[in-house]
Amino acid sequence: MDARTFRDLLVDAPQAALIRAVDEGQSRKNMLPLLEAELQRSWSRLQRLREYRNLLASPVYCLPPEILSTIFFTYAQANNELYNLRWTRLLLVCKCWHDVAKCTRSLWSFIEFSRDDPHHEATPEEESRNIRRIEMQRKHAGLFPLTVLMSQYIPLSEARLAFVRTFGDSLSLSSLFLSGMLSYIHETVRLLSVRRHAFLRTLIIFCHPRTH
């Protein structure tokens, strides 16, 4: 935020419509929406003032976005939080960190595709939540090289099979770690092999024998 923006924020006055309503003694019905709008505007103004205060108070807020991105990735990697997305609590620190982390594609590129438990079938709500997570990660990762971790001990749902096909069309699949029952893995590999993966650098497959 530059000095001019900061000054404009400091001298920002209430909306003229609200002042006029007060001066004219308008009814509560007329004043209430105006006051609600002013409260929302004031809250936003205070948020921006806090951001500027943070910029002045802490050197870390003055770091360039690319340095912050590197720090965030190093933090997530060191704490083993890339797949489980626990690093996303950084998004809650402030708007600056939120914006930088959201635009750091490498943070979103480690996708745990399946957490299937052979003794537990995912509920529709759990399945929907996992699909939304994968969609969000792929959206934020963009064309950044993807590292995908898949475990298959039960058949994949139709929704997840659809995502396997999209990985088959992806030009950004860089690393794939696949484990599970041979029959299920075979189907996944078949779907992925439809296309040539020019940027695939790491492929590790671990098959478990079928147990009864």
Side-chain angles (χ1 to χ4, degrees), residues 17-205:
L18 177 59
I19 299 297
R20 184 168 57 252
V22 173
D23 290 340
E24 295 174 357
Q26 294 183 16
S27 67
R28 289 184 297 174
K29 181 179 180 181
N30 290 340
M31 289 184 60
L32 185 59
L34 295 173
L35 186 56
E36 290 287 354
E38 182 61 27
L39 285 171
Q40 181 61 35
R41 198 178 68 87
S42 297
W43 180 86
S44 176
R45 176 174 175 271
L46 285 173
Q47 285 293 102
R48 295 183 66 191
L49 284 172
R50 290 190 185 98
E51 291 172 21
Y52 196 76
R53 186 272 316 274
N54 291 339
L55 286 172
L56 295 175
S58 176
V60 72
Y61 286 94
C62 299
L63 291 173
E66 58 270 19
I67 300 299
L68 275 178
S69 292
T70 301
I71 293 173
F72 292 164
F73 184 84
T74 301
Y75 164 82
Q77 188 177 47
N79 289 280
N80 196 28
E81 296 182 354
L82 288 169
Y83 286 110
N84 58 31
L85 298 184
R86 289 178 182 171
W87 64 265
T88 53
R89 55 179 172 268
L90 297 173
L91 298 170
L92 305 176
V93 173
C94 66
K95 185 177 184 300
C96 174
W97 284 27
H98 176 278
D99 292 345
V100 171
K102 191 174 181 180
C103 294
T104 303
R105 294 183 175 184
S106 59
L107 285 170
W108 303 96
S109 67
F110 288 77
I111 301 177
E112 186 169 3
F113 184 79
S114 177
R115 297 180 181 178
D116 291 327
D117 181 345
H119 304 293
H120 169 71
E121 183 175 353
T123 66
E125 292 77 14
E126 291 172 334
E127 184 70 4
S128 177
R129 185 166 58 249
N130 280 326
I131 293 300
R132 289 197 303 271
R133 171 182 57 80
I134 296 169
E135 289 176 338
M136 176 188 65
Q137 287 188 255
R138 294 204 64 181
K139 175 184 176 181
H140 290 316
L143 296 177
F144 195 89
L146 300 177
T147 298
V148 179
L149 181 65
M150 297 181 65
S151 58
Q152 293 182 251
Y153 294 94
I154 61 176
L156 291 179
S157 66
E158 285 300 321
R160 296 198 187 197
L161 280 174
F163 266 102
V164 171
R165 295 186 184 97
T166 66
F167 283 126
D169 294 336
S170 175
L171 296 176
S172 57
L173 184 60
S174 175
S175 299
L176 175 63
F177 302 90
L178 184 58
S179 65
M181 295 297 182
L182 178 59
S183 56
Y184 304 143
I185 289 178
H186 181 271
E187 176 62 15
T188 298
V189 171
R190 186 189 66 79
L191 290 173
L192 290 172
S193 64
V194 172
R195 299 292 180 89
R196 181 174 178 268
H197 295 274
F199 298 99
L200 185 63
R201 296 292 179 264
T202 304
L203 175 62
I204 297 177
I205 300 177

